[in-house]
Each structure stands twice: as C-alpha cells, then as structure tokens.
C-alpha cells in the first residue's frame, strides 16, 4: 500500500457503533422524508395549496437532503465529522419543532420550516453518515452501507403510521408533528454519541480531490446523469401513492398503510441486493433494480383494488430500496482513496438531486386540478427507463462487448491506487 497506514477494517466496536449511529440518522432523515406522502395527502385534502405547490415542500426538503452532501462531504474529508453532524442535528430538530407550530394553511411557514430548514439539517447528516462507513468497512462496504440505509425504511414504516394516526384523531396536526420531533431528538442524540470517523484516515496527506478532474471522469459523470434522471421519477409513489390510493377508491384505513408497507418492503430491498453486489458487482444490480422500478410504475394503470395496491407497494418498495441503497456504493467504488469518497458522494448527489427537486412538482403540475394520473405515471416511468442510457453509454465508452459487467472486489482490494475498496473504470472486467 505504498507505505500508507492501513487501519484494521470490517469490525470492532468503533465500526459497529458508527454503523448503528448512522442507521439512526437515516431513520430520522431519509425515513422522515419518505413520509412526505402523508403530508402531501393532508395538505392537499385540506386545500392548503395545489398539489404542485405542496410537492415543492417535499421536493425541496429531499433536494437539500441530498445536495447538502457537497459541503457536508467536504467537511467530512477535512476532518470535521462530529461538528457537521452536531450542527445538522440541531438545525433538523429545531426545524421540525417549527413545523409543529406552523399553521397547515400557511404555505410560507411550512415551506421554510419543512422544506428549507429540515432539508438543510438532514443534508448535513445524511451524506457524512453514509460516507464515514468507508472509514470502517472495506470488504463488506456495500453491505454496511445497505444496512445503514435500511434505517430510512424503518423510519418510513414508523413515521407514516404514527403521523396518520395522530393527524386524524384528537391529537391533531401540531402535537402529531411534535411527538415525532421528540422521537427524532432522542435518536439523533444517540447517533451523535455513537458515530465517529477514523482520524488516521482523515489525517492522511493525500492530494486534494480536483473537482475538474472528477467531472472529467467518464464513469463518474455517467453515473451522475443516471442518478439525476432516476431521482426525477423514482420518488413519485413516495409522494403520491397514499393520495392515489384514496382517490382510486381504496379504503382510507388501508390507504394510510401503503407508505408504511412500501417502506417495509424496501428493508430487504436495501440489504439483499447489497449482499449480491459484493459478489456480482454494484452496477449489475443497480441497473436491474432501476429497470424494475420503471416497469412497476407502468403497472399503476391496473391498480384499482386493495390487493393490487398492496402488491405494488411491496414490489416497488423492494426494488426502489435496492436502487437507492446501491447508489452510494457505486459512487464509492469509483474513488481512488477513502479521503475523496466524501467529496465524490457529495458532488454526485448535489447534481443528481436536481432531479428530485423538479420531479415531484412536475408530477403535481401534470396532475393539475383534475388528477389525470396517466401523465405523471408515464413521466416517472420514462425517467427511470432513460436513466439506463447513461450507464449503457458507459459500457460502450469502455468498449465492453457485454452489458453485464462485474466490478471485481478482489481487483479493488489489491489496487495500488487506493486503500480500501476503490475501483476505477480501468479495473472493470467482464462477468460471463
């Protein structure tokens, strides 16, 4: 390893405690973001604003959650991990309490507290919590990141059920949000105590990542383009499935559980494909998962019963969970050294999150006041299928005769360019 200190990886109390703390972070941040469908339904049916304007709240929160990874990832690489997650925790919890005192009919209050405030706070938490896993895991990095991101699935189970129950009984909106805020506060306190970065990695004197050179890295750029188009379409059910089910005549008591079921199904989706990714390659798995999501979105045309909506929620939850959990390992695999993983993930998610910012408001604008569901369904499905184009071009750019490629972990482990599971596109081999 060219004399570079090689810390003990893949185990130990510090690695496991960091994994558990990061799980709590994704539970509170991405898990809560996956719950916006509850707020979309509540705000829309209470006539707070049009479906498109309400979508801007959730899409802005989601955009900042992902886009703030650029400064947050840079801070991680500079060694300010603890300071970053502490600041993010304070902003996030404070903003959530502000949502609880905002009036549901006051769009500006909700947008600034839930869209901007929670978005910035969660963005300072999410990417560092994911990227710091590279400090502690090597051979099982994809699996570790998959376990961490399952926190968003569990959060997406707990929060929709809790909020739906509280919003629609005597507790009401204010104390319903406040209850979830107290839960988030406790979990983020625990996360701050559990997580840590390896100072031996943060302090290594490696060349600073050159942003220009990263943007000239062909596989990296194609991966960003694929992520951007995917984010424009993949979150449609997370925002609209509950409202879609209600307006399609599904019993309200059942429709309230569609988001929870979808997020529950994403738990195995975020773990099982990561198990195979360590063996068969993350690119192989993520391409298949994305195509499956696009096909499932088109199946919404046939949903009109409780059974069909539940089947869709289970299948879409699994494959969308697989895609979202594999994206970070894909980006990490292209890094030359652990010290640049944070900035690579941050830069990629910054650009890719533009898809999440505009995707859901476009869905809302396509729905209008008459709710012609075929418009956003086709738009989202096309986005997911188009995202296969950049990766197909990547295969052609590398002159690979087969689409099925395998990023070899064994080659990565002995790479002279990196300490850890970093894989350059020159190390891609065919899997036949």
């Amino acid at each position: 390893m060219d004399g570079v200190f090689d810390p003990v990886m893949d185990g130990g109390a510090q690695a496991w405690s960091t994994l558990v703390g990061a799980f709590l972070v994704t539970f509170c941040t991405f898990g809560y973001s996956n719950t916006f469908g509850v707020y979309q339904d509540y705000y829309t049916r209470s006539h707070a604003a049009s479906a498109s304007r309400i979508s801007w709240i959730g899409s802005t929160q989601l955009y900042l959650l992902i886009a703030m990874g650029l400064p947050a990832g840079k801070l991680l690489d500079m060694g300010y991990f603890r300071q970053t997650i502490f600041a993010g925790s304070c902003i996030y919890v404070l903003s959530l309490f502000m949502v609880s005192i905002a009036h549901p009919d006051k769009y500006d209050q909700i947008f600034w507290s839930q869209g901007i405030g929670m978005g910035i706070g969660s963005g300072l938490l999410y990417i560092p919590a994911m990227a710091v896993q590279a400090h502690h895991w090597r051979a099982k990095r994809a699996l570790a990141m998959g376990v961490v991101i399952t926190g968003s699935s569990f959060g997406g189970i707990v929060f929709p059920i809790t909020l739906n129950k509280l919003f629609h009984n005597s507790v009401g909106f204010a104390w319903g949000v406040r209850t979830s805020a107290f839960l988030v506060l406790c979990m983020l306190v625990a996360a701050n105590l559990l997580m840590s970065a390896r100072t031996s990695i943060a302090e290594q004197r490696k060349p600073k990542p050159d942003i220009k050179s990263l943007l000239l890295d062909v596989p990296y750029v194609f991966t960003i383009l694929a992520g951007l188009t995917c984010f424009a379409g993949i979150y449609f059910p997370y925002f609209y499935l509950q409202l879609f089910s209600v307006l399609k005549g599904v019993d309200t008591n059942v429709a309230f559980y569609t988001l929870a079921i979808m997020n529950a199904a994403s738990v195995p989706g975020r773990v099982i494909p990561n198990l195979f990714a360590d063996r068969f390659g993350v690119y192989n798995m993520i391409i298949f998962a994305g195509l499956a999501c696009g096909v499932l979105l088109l199946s919404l045309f046939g949903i009109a019963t409780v059974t069909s909506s539940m089947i869709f929620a289970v299948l879409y939850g699994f494959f969308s969970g697989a895609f979202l959990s594999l994206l970070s390992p894909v980006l990490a695999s292209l890094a030359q050294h652990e010290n640049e993983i944070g900035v690579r993930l941050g830069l990629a998610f910054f650009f890719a999150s533009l898809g999440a910012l505009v995707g859901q408001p476009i869905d809302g604008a396509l729905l209008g006041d008459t709710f012609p569901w075929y418009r956003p369904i086709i738009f989202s499905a096309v986005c997911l299928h188009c995202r296969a184009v950049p990766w197909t071009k990547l295969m052609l750019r590398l002159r690979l005769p087969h689409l099925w490629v395998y990023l070899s972990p064994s080659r990565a482990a002995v790479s002279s360019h990196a300490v850890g599971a970093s894989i350059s596109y020159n190390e891609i081999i065919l899997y036949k």
Side-chain angles (χ1 to χ4, degrees):
M1 297 295 178
D2 299 328
V4 177
F5 175 68
D6 185 16
V8 178
M9 306 287 277
D10 295 308
Q14 190 179 18
W16 285 107
S17 65
T18 300
L19 186 145
V20 172
F23 176 92
L24 296 177
V25 167
T26 59
F27 184 101
C28 298
T29 55
F30 228 128
Y32 209 100
S33 179
N34 287 345
T35 307
F36 189 77
V38 176
Y39 287 97
Q40 180 81 38
D41 180 32
Y42 183 84
Y43 295 149
T44 301
R45 292 202 284 157
S46 63
H47 306 290
S50 66
S52 182
R53 288 193 74 200
I54 293 168
S55 294
W56 276 108
I57 300 171
S59 66
T60 301
Q61 180 186 349
L62 185 61
Y63 166 74
L64 290 172
L65 185 155
I66 301 170
M68 285 298 294
L70 182 57
K74 180 62 176 177
L75 289 169
L76 169 65
D77 291 338
M78 293 172 63
Y80 296 110
F81 174 71
R82 286 197 175 277
Q83 296 90 327
T84 303
I85 62 169
F86 177 75
S89 300
C90 293
I91 295 171
Y92 189 71
V93 172
L94 177 62
S95 299
L96 187 51
F97 275 109
M98 291 299 101
V99 175
S100 73
I101 64 176
H103 197 283
D105 292 335
K106 302 295 183 181
Y107 180 82
D108 291 344
Q109 295 179 7
I110 298 170
F111 180 82
W112 282 102
S113 56
Q114 190 168 6
I116 302 296
M118 290 180 65
I120 292 173
S122 58
L124 291 173
L125 287 164
Y126 173 62
I127 293 298
M130 289 293 297
V132 78
Q133 302 306 313
H135 289 204
H136 301 280
W137 304 92
R138 177 180 301 158
K140 298 297 182 181
R141 179 174 297 169
L143 178 59
M145 288 183 171
V147 172
V148 168
I149 200 64
T150 57
S152 64
S153 300
F154 283 101
I157 298 169
V158 172
F159 289 123
I161 295 174
T162 302
L163 293 173
N164 271 316
K165 291 294 185 181
L166 295 176
F167 286 178
H168 299 283
N169 64 25
S170 58
V171 175
F173 177 83
W175 272 103
V177 176
R178 211 164 289 149
T179 300
S180 67
F182 280 115
L183 175 60
V184 167
L185 173 62
C186 294
M187 300 189 81
L188 288 182
V189 168
N192 276 262
L193 295 174
L194 287 169
M195 290 191 297
S196 61
R198 283 191 185 272
T199 55
S200 57
I201 291 177
E203 293 173 355
Q204 285 175 13
R205 293 295 182 262
K206 288 288 177 178
K208 294 182 179 179
D210 181 5
I211 300 299
K212 182 179 179 180
S213 67
L214 293 182
L215 295 178
L216 293 176
D217 184 345
V218 174
Y220 182 66
V221 171
F222 279 137
T223 301
I224 292 175
L225 291 175
L228 188 151
T229 55
C230 168
F231 282 167
I234 199 168
Y235 287 106
F236 170 68
Y238 288 94
F239 276 59
Y240 287 101
L241 182 60
Q242 181 170 313
L243 181 62
F244 174 85
S245 300
V246 170
L247 296 182
K248 283 292 184 178
V250 176
D251 183 79
T252 303
N253 292 324
V254 177
F256 284 168
Y257 287 95
T258 52
L259 272 178
I261 292 171
M262 188 162 58
N263 282 294
S266 72
V267 174
R270 294 178 191 275
V271 176
I272 294 174
N274 281 272
L275 287 170
F276 289 99
D278 284 325
R279 180 179 179 185
F280 296 114
V282 286
Y283 272 97
N284 300 329
M285 303 304 297
I286 200 171
I287 289 174
F288 178 76
L291 290 173
C293 288
V295 172
L296 286 169
L297 279 176
L298 294 175
S299 73
L300 284 171
F301 287 113
I303 289 180
T305 64
V306 171
T307 302
S308 58
S309 63
M310 293 300 105
I311 292 174
F312 171 84
V314 169
L315 292 177
Y316 193 84
F318 180 88
F319 286 107
S320 64
F323 184 94
L324 294 171
S325 69
L326 287 166
L327 189 54
S328 289
V330 163
L331 293 166
S333 72
L334 298 172
Q336 298 299 309
H337 189 270
E338 280 92 344
N339 275 0
E340 70 174 42
I341 288 177
V343 71
R344 274 188 181 264
L345 265 64
L347 186 65
F349 281 121
F350 176 80
F351 287 112
S353 61
L354 293 172
L357 177 64
V358 301
Q360 280 50 251
I362 290 175
D363 291 332
L366 291 172
L367 284 174
D369 297 325
T370 57
F371 294 94
W373 289 101
Y374 72 92
R375 295 177 181 176
I377 290 173
I378 292 175
F379 168 75
S380 300
V382 168
C383 287
L384 281 163
H385 286 300
C386 284
R387 73 96 186 92
V389 174
W391 279 334
T392 302
K393 288 184 177 180
L394 169 59
M395 308 311 169
L396 297 175
R397 174 70 172 79
L398 299 176
R399 299 178 181 178
L400 299 178
H402 305 286
L403 178 63
W404 195 258
V405 294
Y406 171 54
L407 297 179
S408 172
S410 61
R411 289 288 300 277
V414 298
S415 171
S416 61
H417 301 294
V419 179
S422 59
I423 308 170
S424 68
Y425 68 89
N426 291 322
E427 292 171 301
I428 296 178
I429 62 174
L430 295 180
Y431 178 75
K432 301 180 180 179

